[in-house]
Amino acid sequence: MKLKITTTLLLVSYLTACGGTTPAPASLQNQQGQQGQNTETPEEPTPVSPNIDSVDMKSRVDDSSNKLGMGANGALAFDIDKTRGEFVIMLPMPQGVVFTPSGTFNKYPDISFTPMFDGTGKMKMAVRVPIKYILKGITTVPAGRLPNGDLLPAMPAGQNELPSLALSFPSQNNTKINLYIGLSAVGLFMTLPDKAALPLPINITVPIKNSDKSRTFGYLTYVNAKNGHQPGLFISTVVPPEFARILEDHFGL
């Protein structure tokens, strides 16, 4: 018995001195071999498509230097009602301008307008447009310009003519509303009574940006009176392609 133990110790010492290694037991070798054969490459996680919650077009007027003289800096101008599937355009009104009618556009009863007040008590003109019209556009109505004949100012999609829906309110200082809808772009023009004209020698435009001001979605422009036409305010925005794709998928357009 002592002879066997001595022989084993000498063999281990010899292998160690020669840089060799002691082989694993056969049973362990078999287990390792089976593990190597059964090893599978883990599957890559399925990428998750952006959902409706990632769409944030809440944007505000960026006029910190008060170029327009309206005190509209920070006013919420655009948002999306994800429950009703509507794009909400909110046009800030100058001090003293009051607009009370509410209703819908002729032949498009699902496009509605109404006055509203923000948290500071300032009035806005709000228009709610179903997302389908903005993402797909409207081609059944004629294209139009501003009431004074000018091309649309500071339109993200470029100065041009877009399909236009118009309403007039003679009892409200002859106020006119023109809604312009292009492919992934929308604009709203509202006339102002002469007494509410801003003391600006030229048309002035300020950007409308997202919450952290990293992106410009649209513009707010004051349009001076011209050729007997009343002054007014024009607001515009564009729906970025990446948002449009998500909205189309979500609402099945």
Side-chain angles (χ1 to χ4, degrees), residues 218-250:
Y219 302 93
L220 173 62
T221 299
Y222 174 71
V223 180
N224 269 292
K226 178 183 177 182
N227 299 332
H229 291 275
Q230 294 169 263
L233 290 167
F234 180 78
I235 195 167
S236 63
T237 193
V238 66
V239 181
E242 67 272 22
F243 288 171
R245 287 191 292 270
I246 297 172
L247 292 170
E248 286 177 345
D249 290 343
H250 181 79

PDB file of all heavy atoms in Angstrom, residues 218-250:
ATOM      1  N   GLY A 218     -41.873  74.914 -36.211  1.00  0.00           N
ATOM      2  CA  GLY A 218     -42.655  75.832 -37.016  1.00  0.00           C
ATOM      3  C   GLY A 218     -42.332  77.274 -36.701  1.00  0.00           C
ATOM      4  O   GLY A 218     -41.306  77.580 -36.064  1.00  0.00           O
ATOM      5  N   TYR A 219     -43.242  78.181 -37.114  1.00  0.00           N
ATOM      6  CA  TYR A 219     -42.989  79.616 -36.969  1.00  0.00           C
ATOM      7  C   TYR A 219     -44.289  80.359 -36.702  1.00  0.00           C
ATOM      8  O   TYR A 219     -45.381  79.924 -37.099  1.00  0.00           O
ATOM      9  CB  TYR A 219     -42.344  80.166 -38.246  1.00  0.00           C
ATOM     10  CG  TYR A 219     -41.055  79.488 -38.608  1.00  0.00           C
ATOM     11  CD1 TYR A 219     -41.054  78.401 -39.496  1.00  0.00           C
ATOM     12  CD2 TYR A 219     -39.833  79.890 -38.066  1.00  0.00           C
ATOM     13  CE1 TYR A 219     -39.877  77.746 -39.822  1.00  0.00           C
ATOM     14  CE2 TYR A 219     -38.659  79.238 -38.387  1.00  0.00           C
ATOM     15  CZ  TYR A 219     -38.689  78.174 -39.260  1.00  0.00           C
ATOM     16  OH  TYR A 219     -37.527  77.507 -39.580  1.00  0.00           O
ATOM     17  N   LEU A 220     -44.137  81.501 -36.041  1.00  0.00           N
ATOM     18  CA  LEU A 220     -45.238  82.433 -35.837  1.00  0.00           C
ATOM     19  C   LEU A 220     -44.843  83.738 -36.509  1.00  0.00           C
ATOM     20  O   LEU A 220     -43.780  84.292 -36.211  1.00  0.00           O
ATOM     21  CB  LEU A 220     -45.493  82.652 -34.343  1.00  0.00           C
ATOM     22  CG  LEU A 220     -46.513  83.733 -33.974  1.00  0.00           C
ATOM     23  CD1 LEU A 220     -47.901  83.376 -34.522  1.00  0.00           C
ATOM     24  CD2 LEU A 220     -46.574  83.904 -32.450  1.00  0.00           C
ATOM     25  N   THR A 221     -45.685  84.225 -37.416  1.00  0.00           N
ATOM     26  CA  THR A 221     -45.368  85.429 -38.191  1.00  0.00           C
ATOM     27  C   THR A 221     -46.478  86.467 -38.048  1.00  0.00           C
ATOM     28  O   THR A 221     -47.670  86.132 -38.171  1.00  0.00           O
ATOM     29  CB  THR A 221     -45.217  85.090 -39.689  1.00  0.00           C
ATOM     30  OG1 THR A 221     -44.145  84.156 -39.851  1.00  0.00           O
ATOM     31  CG2 THR A 221     -44.900  86.340 -40.503  1.00  0.00           C
ATOM     32  N   TYR A 222     -46.071  87.691 -37.784  1.00  0.00           N
ATOM     33  CA  TYR A 222     -47.017  88.799 -37.839  1.00  0.00           C
ATOM     34  C   TYR A 222     -46.988  89.354 -39.254  1.00  0.00           C
ATOM     35  O   TYR A 222     -45.926  89.665 -39.793  1.00  0.00           O
ATOM     36  CB  TYR A 222     -46.652  89.913 -36.856  1.00  0.00           C
ATOM     37  CG  TYR A 222     -47.526  91.141 -37.003  1.00  0.00           C
ATOM     38  CD1 TYR A 222     -48.856  91.116 -36.601  1.00  0.00           C
ATOM     39  CD2 TYR A 222     -47.025  92.309 -37.582  1.00  0.00           C
ATOM     40  CE1 TYR A 222     -49.668  92.221 -36.760  1.00  0.00           C
ATOM     41  CE2 TYR A 222     -47.833  93.423 -37.742  1.00  0.00           C
ATOM     42  CZ  TYR A 222     -49.155  93.369 -37.329  1.00  0.00           C
ATOM     43  OH  TYR A 222     -49.962  94.465 -37.495  1.00  0.00           O
ATOM     44  N   VAL A 223     -48.170  89.457 -39.878  1.00  0.00           N
ATOM     45  CA  VAL A 223     -48.296  89.933 -41.254  1.00  0.00           C
ATOM     46  C   VAL A 223     -48.940  91.318 -41.233  1.00  0.00           C
ATOM     47  O   VAL A 223     -50.078  91.475 -40.757  1.00  0.00           O
ATOM     48  CB  VAL A 223     -49.147  88.968 -42.101  1.00  0.00           C
ATOM     49  CG1 VAL A 223     -49.260  89.474 -43.532  1.00  0.00           C
ATOM     50  CG2 VAL A 223     -48.548  87.559 -42.073  1.00  0.00           C
ATOM     51  N   ASN A 224     -48.223  92.310 -41.725  1.00  0.00           N
ATOM     52  CA  ASN A 224     -48.735  93.679 -41.736  1.00  0.00           C
ATOM     53  C   ASN A 224     -49.912  93.838 -42.693  1.00  0.00           C
ATOM     54  O   ASN A 224     -50.097  93.040 -43.620  1.00  0.00           O
ATOM     55  CB  ASN A 224     -47.623  94.648 -42.158  1.00  0.00           C
ATOM     56  CG  ASN A 224     -46.836  95.173 -40.970  1.00  0.00           C
ATOM     57  OD1 ASN A 224     -47.356  95.927 -40.154  1.00  0.00           O
ATOM     58  ND2 ASN A 224     -45.576  94.759 -40.871  1.00  0.00           N
ATOM     59  N   ALA A 225     -50.701  94.882 -42.462  1.00  0.00           N
ATOM     60  CA  ALA A 225     -51.786  95.231 -43.386  1.00  0.00           C
ATOM     61  C   ALA A 225     -51.179  95.555 -44.750  1.00  0.00           C
ATOM     62  O   ALA A 225     -50.073  96.095 -44.847  1.00  0.00           O
ATOM     63  CB  ALA A 225     -52.558  96.431 -42.856  1.00  0.00           C
ATOM     64  N   LYS A 226     -51.911  95.172 -45.810  1.00  0.00           N
ATOM     65  CA  LYS A 226     -51.378  95.383 -47.151  1.00  0.00           C
ATOM     66  C   LYS A 226     -52.518  95.505 -48.151  1.00  0.00           C
ATOM     67  O   LYS A 226     -53.434  94.676 -48.155  1.00  0.00           O
ATOM     68  CB  LYS A 226     -50.461  94.213 -47.539  1.00  0.00           C
ATOM     69  CG  LYS A 226     -49.892  94.297 -48.944  1.00  0.00           C
ATOM     70  CD  LYS A 226     -49.048  93.067 -49.260  1.00  0.00           C
ATOM     71  CE  LYS A 226     -48.523  93.096 -50.679  1.00  0.00           C
ATOM     72  NZ  LYS A 226     -47.735  91.883 -50.998  1.00  0.00           N
ATOM     73  N   ASN A 227     -52.452  96.548 -48.985  1.00  0.00           N
ATOM     74  CA  ASN A 227     -53.439  96.734 -50.055  1.00  0.00           C
ATOM     75  C   ASN A 227     -54.879  96.649 -49.560  1.00  0.00           C
ATOM     76  O   ASN A 227     -55.746  96.019 -50.178  1.00  0.00           O
ATOM     77  CB  ASN A 227     -53.221  95.701 -51.168  1.00  0.00           C
ATOM     78  CG  ASN A 227     -51.856  95.827 -51.816  1.00  0.00           C
ATOM     79  OD1 ASN A 227     -51.275  96.918 -51.855  1.00  0.00           O
ATOM     80  ND2 ASN A 227     -51.339  94.718 -52.334  1.00  0.00           N
ATOM     81  N   GLY A 228     -55.125  97.267 -48.425  1.00  0.00           N
ATOM     82  CA  GLY A 228     -56.481  97.279 -47.885  1.00  0.00           C
ATOM     83  C   GLY A 228     -56.863  96.042 -47.107  1.00  0.00           C
ATOM     84  O   GLY A 228     -57.976  95.962 -46.575  1.00  0.00           O
ATOM     85  N   HIS A 229     -55.964  95.061 -47.018  1.00  0.00           N
ATOM     86  CA  HIS A 229     -56.235  93.843 -46.260  1.00  0.00           C
ATOM     87  C   HIS A 229     -55.770  94.013 -44.817  1.00  0.00           C
ATOM     88  O   HIS A 229     -54.745  94.636 -44.543  1.00  0.00           O
ATOM     89  CB  HIS A 229     -55.536  92.642 -46.896  1.00  0.00           C
ATOM     90  CG  HIS A 229     -56.105  92.252 -48.221  1.00  0.00           C
ATOM     91  ND1 HIS A 229     -57.192  91.419 -48.345  1.00  0.00           N
ATOM     92  CD2 HIS A 229     -55.743  92.601 -49.486  1.00  0.00           C
ATOM     93  CE1 HIS A 229     -57.479  91.250 -49.622  1.00  0.00           C
ATOM     94  NE2 HIS A 229     -56.607  91.961 -50.333  1.00  0.00           N
ATOM     95  N   GLN A 230     -56.521  93.441 -43.899  1.00  0.00           N
ATOM     96  CA  GLN A 230     -56.214  93.555 -42.480  1.00  0.00           C
ATOM     97  C   GLN A 230     -54.892  92.855 -42.132  1.00  0.00           C
ATOM     98  O   GLN A 230     -54.479  91.914 -42.813  1.00  0.00           O
ATOM     99  CB  GLN A 230     -57.349  92.926 -41.656  1.00  0.00           C
ATOM    100  CG  GLN A 230     -58.684  93.637 -41.746  1.00  0.00           C
ATOM    101  CD  GLN A 230     -59.792  92.800 -41.122  1.00  0.00           C
ATOM    102  OE1 GLN A 230     -60.507  92.094 -41.821  1.00  0.00           O
ATOM    103  NE2 GLN A 230     -59.925  92.873 -39.806  1.00  0.00           N
ATOM    104  N   PRO A 231     -54.257  93.308 -41.048  1.00  0.00           N
ATOM    105  CA  PRO A 231     -53.084  92.584 -40.557  1.00  0.00           C
ATOM    106  C   PRO A 231     -53.524  91.253 -39.956  1.00  0.00           C
ATOM    107  O   PRO A 231     -54.732  91.006 -39.780  1.00  0.00           O
ATOM    108  CB  PRO A 231     -52.524  93.519 -39.487  1.00  0.00           C
ATOM    109  CG  PRO A 231     -53.729  94.254 -38.973  1.00  0.00           C
ATOM    110  CD  PRO A 231     -54.614  94.451 -40.185  1.00  0.00           C
ATOM    111  N   GLY A 232     -52.585  90.406 -39.664  1.00  0.00           N
ATOM    112  CA  GLY A 232     -52.955  89.124 -39.083  1.00  0.00           C
ATOM    113  C   GLY A 232     -51.762  88.353 -38.559  1.00  0.00           C
ATOM    114  O   GLY A 232     -50.611  88.809 -38.634  1.00  0.00           O
ATOM    115  N   LEU A 233     -52.039  87.200 -38.033  1.00  0.00           N
ATOM    116  CA  LEU A 233     -51.013  86.304 -37.499  1.00  0.00           C
ATOM    117  C   LEU A 233     -51.085  84.980 -38.245  1.00  0.00           C
ATOM    118  O   LEU A 233     -52.176  84.440 -38.484  1.00  0.00           O
ATOM    119  CB  LEU A 233     -51.226  86.069 -36.003  1.00  0.00           C
ATOM    120  CG  LEU A 233     -50.936  87.265 -35.092  1.00  0.00           C
ATOM    121  CD1 LEU A 233     -51.495  87.006 -33.692  1.00  0.00           C
ATOM    122  CD2 LEU A 233     -49.433  87.537 -35.014  1.00  0.00           C
ATOM    123  N   PHE A 234     -49.912  84.479 -38.614  1.00  0.00           N
ATOM    124  CA  PHE A 234     -49.814  83.207 -39.322  1.00  0.00           C
ATOM    125  C   PHE A 234     -48.923  82.277 -38.510  1.00  0.00           C
ATOM    126  O   PHE A 234     -47.808  82.643 -38.119  1.00  0.00           O
ATOM    127  CB  PHE A 234     -49.216  83.415 -40.715  1.00  0.00           C
ATOM    128  CG  PHE A 234     -49.077  82.135 -41.503  1.00  0.00           C
ATOM    129  CD1 PHE A 234     -50.184  81.557 -42.118  1.00  0.00           C
ATOM    130  CD2 PHE A 234     -47.846  81.506 -41.634  1.00  0.00           C
ATOM    131  CE1 PHE A 234     -50.058  80.380 -42.848  1.00  0.00           C
ATOM    132  CE2 PHE A 234     -47.718  80.339 -42.355  1.00  0.00           C
ATOM    133  CZ  PHE A 234     -48.833  79.768 -42.968  1.00  0.00           C
ATOM    134  N   ILE A 235     -49.427  81.082 -38.255  1.00  0.00           N
ATOM    135  CA  ILE A 235     -48.658  80.107 -37.497  1.00  0.00           C
ATOM    136  C   ILE A 235     -48.566  78.825 -38.317  1.00  0.00           C
ATOM    137  O   ILE A 235     -49.503  78.465 -39.041  1.00  0.00           O
ATOM    138  CB  ILE A 235     -49.311  79.849 -36.120  1.00  0.00           C
ATOM    139  CG1 ILE A 235     -48.354  79.129 -35.181  1.00  0.00           C
ATOM    140  CG2 ILE A 235     -50.624  79.104 -36.251  1.00  0.00           C
ATOM    141  CD1 ILE A 235     -48.828  79.130 -33.727  1.00  0.00           C
ATOM    142  N   SER A 236     -47.416  78.157 -38.256  1.00  0.00           N
ATOM    143  CA  SER A 236     -47.214  76.975 -39.103  1.00  0.00           C
ATOM    144  C   SER A 236     -46.355  75.945 -38.391  1.00  0.00           C
ATOM    145  O   SER A 236     -45.609  76.262 -37.462  1.00  0.00           O
ATOM    146  CB  SER A 236     -46.518  77.378 -40.406  1.00  0.00           C
ATOM    147  OG  SER A 236     -45.222  77.901 -40.129  1.00  0.00           O
ATOM    148  N   THR A 237     -46.481  74.719 -38.840  1.00  0.00           N
ATOM    149  CA  THR A 237     -45.613  73.664 -38.331  1.00  0.00           C
ATOM    150  C   THR A 237     -45.538  72.537 -39.344  1.00  0.00           C
ATOM    151  O   THR A 237     -46.323  72.475 -40.287  1.00  0.00           O
ATOM    152  CB  THR A 237     -46.114  73.105 -36.992  1.00  0.00           C
ATOM    153  OG1 THR A 237     -45.092  72.294 -36.391  1.00  0.00           O
ATOM    154  CG2 THR A 237     -47.342  72.246 -37.182  1.00  0.00           C
ATOM    155  N   VAL A 238     -44.574  71.662 -39.154  1.00  0.00           N
ATOM    156  CA  VAL A 238     -44.399  70.488 -39.996  1.00  0.00           C
ATOM    157  C   VAL A 238     -44.266  69.274 -39.087  1.00  0.00           C
ATOM    158  O   VAL A 238     -43.745  69.377 -37.968  1.00  0.00           O
ATOM    159  CB  VAL A 238     -43.158  70.637 -40.905  1.00  0.00           C
ATOM    160  CG1 VAL A 238     -41.873  70.667 -40.082  1.00  0.00           C
ATOM    161  CG2 VAL A 238     -43.101  69.538 -41.939  1.00  0.00           C
ATOM    162  N   VAL A 239     -44.764  68.131 -39.547  1.00  0.00           N
ATOM    163  CA  VAL A 239     -44.637  66.894 -38.779  1.00  0.00           C
ATOM    164  C   VAL A 239     -43.395  66.159 -39.273  1.00  0.00           C
ATOM    165  O   VAL A 239     -43.332  65.761 -40.438  1.00  0.00           O
ATOM    166  CB  VAL A 239     -45.883  66.000 -38.965  1.00  0.00           C
ATOM    167  CG1 VAL A 239     -45.741  64.725 -38.130  1.00  0.00           C
ATOM    168  CG2 VAL A 239     -47.144  66.756 -38.571  1.00  0.00           C
ATOM    169  N   PRO A 240     -42.366  65.983 -38.417  1.00  0.00           N
ATOM    170  CA  PRO A 240     -41.146  65.291 -38.850  1.00  0.00           C
ATOM    171  C   PRO A 240     -41.454  63.883 -39.350  1.00  0.00           C
ATOM    172  O   PRO A 240     -42.382  63.231 -38.854  1.00  0.00           O
ATOM    173  CB  PRO A 240     -40.296  65.242 -37.566  1.00  0.00           C
ATOM    174  CG  PRO A 240     -40.814  66.369 -36.722  1.00  0.00           C
ATOM    175  CD  PRO A 240     -42.287  66.432 -37.020  1.00  0.00           C
ATOM    176  N   PRO A 241     -40.712  63.404 -40.357  1.00  0.00           N
ATOM    177  CA  PRO A 241     -40.981  62.077 -40.941  1.00  0.00           C
ATOM    178  C   PRO A 241     -41.001  60.950 -39.922  1.00  0.00           C
ATOM    179  O   PRO A 241     -41.829  60.041 -40.020  1.00  0.00           O
ATOM    180  CB  PRO A 241     -39.828  61.900 -41.946  1.00  0.00           C
ATOM    181  CG  PRO A 241     -39.410  63.299 -42.295  1.00  0.00           C
ATOM    182  CD  PRO A 241     -39.602  64.095 -41.039  1.00  0.00           C
ATOM    183  N   GLU A 242     -40.085  60.993 -38.936  1.00  0.00           N
ATOM    184  CA  GLU A 242     -40.043  59.894 -37.975  1.00  0.00           C
ATOM    185  C   GLU A 242     -41.303  59.867 -37.112  1.00  0.00           C
ATOM    186  O   GLU A 242     -41.774  58.798 -36.709  1.00  0.00           O
ATOM    187  CB  GLU A 242     -38.792  59.979 -37.098  1.00  0.00           C
ATOM    188  CG  GLU A 242     -38.729  61.163 -36.135  1.00  0.00           C
ATOM    189  CD  GLU A 242     -38.122  62.413 -36.752  1.00  0.00           C
ATOM    190  OE1 GLU A 242     -38.120  62.522 -37.995  1.00  0.00           O
ATOM    191  OE2 GLU A 242     -37.656  63.283 -35.991  1.00  0.00           O
ATOM    192  N   PHE A 243     -41.873  61.031 -36.828  1.00  0.00           N
ATOM    193  CA  PHE A 243     -43.123  61.083 -36.075  1.00  0.00           C
ATOM    194  C   PHE A 243     -44.296  60.655 -36.955  1.00  0.00           C
ATOM    195  O   PHE A 243     -45.211  59.978 -36.497  1.00  0.00           O
ATOM    196  CB  PHE A 243     -43.363  62.489 -35.531  1.00  0.00           C
ATOM    197  CG  PHE A 243     -42.456  62.869 -34.392  1.00  0.00           C
ATOM    198  CD1 PHE A 243     -42.426  64.171 -33.917  1.00  0.00           C
ATOM    199  CD2 PHE A 243     -41.635  61.941 -33.788  1.00  0.00           C
ATOM    200  CE1 PHE A 243     -41.596  64.541 -32.863  1.00  0.00           C
ATOM    201  CE2 PHE A 243     -40.790  62.280 -32.732  1.00  0.00           C
ATOM    202  CZ  PHE A 243     -40.778  63.589 -32.265  1.00  0.00           C
ATOM    203  N   ALA A 244     -44.259  61.066 -38.218  1.00  0.00           N
ATOM    204  CA  ALA A 244     -45.349  60.732 -39.143  1.00  0.00           C
ATOM    205  C   ALA A 244     -45.500  59.220 -39.272  1.00  0.00           C
ATOM    206  O   ALA A 244     -46.625  58.697 -39.284  1.00  0.00           O
ATOM    207  CB  ALA A 244     -45.090  61.369 -40.501  1.00  0.00           C
ATOM    208  N   ARG A 245     -44.387  58.501 -39.356  1.00  0.00           N
ATOM    209  CA  ARG A 245     -44.442  57.044 -39.502  1.00  0.00           C
ATOM    210  C   ARG A 245     -45.090  56.393 -38.282  1.00  0.00           C
ATOM    211  O   ARG A 245     -45.896  55.466 -38.409  1.00  0.00           O
ATOM    212  CB  ARG A 245     -43.031  56.487 -39.734  1.00  0.00           C
ATOM    213  CG  ARG A 245     -42.478  56.766 -41.121  1.00  0.00           C
ATOM    214  CD  ARG A 245     -41.212  55.981 -41.375  1.00  0.00           C
ATOM    215  NE  ARG A 245     -40.109  56.452 -40.537  1.00  0.00           N
ATOM    216  CZ  ARG A 245     -39.262  57.404 -40.897  1.00  0.00           C
ATOM    217  NH1 ARG A 245     -39.391  57.986 -42.081  1.00  0.00           N
ATOM    218  NH2 ARG A 245     -38.283  57.779 -40.103  1.00  0.00           N
ATOM    219  N   ILE A 246     -44.733  56.871 -37.098  1.00  0.00           N
ATOM    220  CA  ILE A 246     -45.298  56.306 -35.871  1.00  0.00           C
ATOM    221  C   ILE A 246     -46.791  56.592 -35.793  1.00  0.00           C
ATOM    222  O   ILE A 246     -47.597  55.720 -35.449  1.00  0.00           O
ATOM    223  CB  ILE A 246     -44.572  56.878 -34.634  1.00  0.00           C
ATOM    224  CG1 ILE A 246     -43.094  56.464 -34.651  1.00  0.00           C
ATOM    225  CG2 ILE A 246     -45.236  56.402 -33.348  1.00  0.00           C
ATOM    226  CD1 ILE A 246     -42.255  57.135 -33.580  1.00  0.00           C
ATOM    227  N   LEU A 247     -47.181  57.816 -36.138  1.00  0.00           N
ATOM    228  CA  LEU A 247     -48.593  58.191 -36.096  1.00  0.00           C
ATOM    229  C   LEU A 247     -49.406  57.391 -37.107  1.00  0.00           C
ATOM    230  O   LEU A 247     -50.526  56.952 -36.824  1.00  0.00           O
ATOM    231  CB  LEU A 247     -48.742  59.686 -36.365  1.00  0.00           C
ATOM    232  CG  LEU A 247     -48.194  60.615 -35.276  1.00  0.00           C
ATOM    233  CD1 LEU A 247     -48.187  62.067 -35.764  1.00  0.00           C
ATOM    234  CD2 LEU A 247     -49.013  60.504 -34.000  1.00  0.00           C
ATOM    235  N   GLU A 248     -48.847  57.189 -38.284  1.00  0.00           N
ATOM    236  CA  GLU A 248     -49.549  56.401 -39.312  1.00  0.00           C
ATOM    237  C   GLU A 248     -49.783  54.972 -38.829  1.00  0.00           C
ATOM    238  O   GLU A 248     -50.883  54.415 -39.001  1.00  0.00           O
ATOM    239  CB  GLU A 248     -48.733  56.388 -40.606  1.00  0.00           C
ATOM    240  CG  GLU A 248     -48.773  57.697 -41.378  1.00  0.00           C
ATOM    241  CD  GLU A 248     -47.902  57.665 -42.623  1.00  0.00           C
ATOM    242  OE1 GLU A 248     -47.063  56.744 -42.721  1.00  0.00           O
ATOM    243  OE2 GLU A 248     -48.050  58.542 -43.473  1.00  0.00           O
ATOM    244  N   ASP A 249     -48.770  54.380 -38.230  1.00  0.00           N
ATOM    245  CA  ASP A 249     -48.910  53.009 -37.740  1.00  0.00           C
ATOM    246  C   ASP A 249     -49.934  52.941 -36.608  1.00  0.00           C
ATOM    247  O   ASP A 249     -50.781  52.042 -36.549  1.00  0.00           O
ATOM    248  CB  ASP A 249     -47.558  52.469 -37.252  1.00  0.00           C
ATOM    249  CG  ASP A 249     -46.595  52.219 -38.390  1.00  0.00           C
ATOM    250  OD1 ASP A 249     -47.055  52.150 -39.547  1.00  0.00           O
ATOM    251  OD2 ASP A 249     -45.376  52.117 -38.133  1.00  0.00           O
ATOM    252  N   HIS A 250     -49.848  53.904 -35.684  1.00  0.00           N
ATOM    253  CA  HIS A 250     -50.715  53.874 -34.495  1.00  0.00           C
ATOM    254  C   HIS A 250     -52.183  54.047 -34.877  1.00  0.00           C
ATOM    255  O   HIS A 250     -53.055  53.360 -34.325  1.00  0.00           O
ATOM    256  CB  HIS A 250     -50.292  54.955 -33.522  1.00  0.00           C
ATOM    257  CG  HIS A 250     -51.102  54.979 -32.264  1.00  0.00           C
ATOM    258  ND1 HIS A 250     -50.883  54.096 -31.222  1.00  0.00           N
ATOM    259  CD2 HIS A 250     -52.166  55.759 -31.880  1.00  0.00           C
ATOM    260  CE1 HIS A 250     -51.750  54.343 -30.254  1.00  0.00           C
ATOM    261  NE2 HIS A 250     -52.544  55.347 -30.625  1.00  0.00           N
TER     262      HIS A 250
END
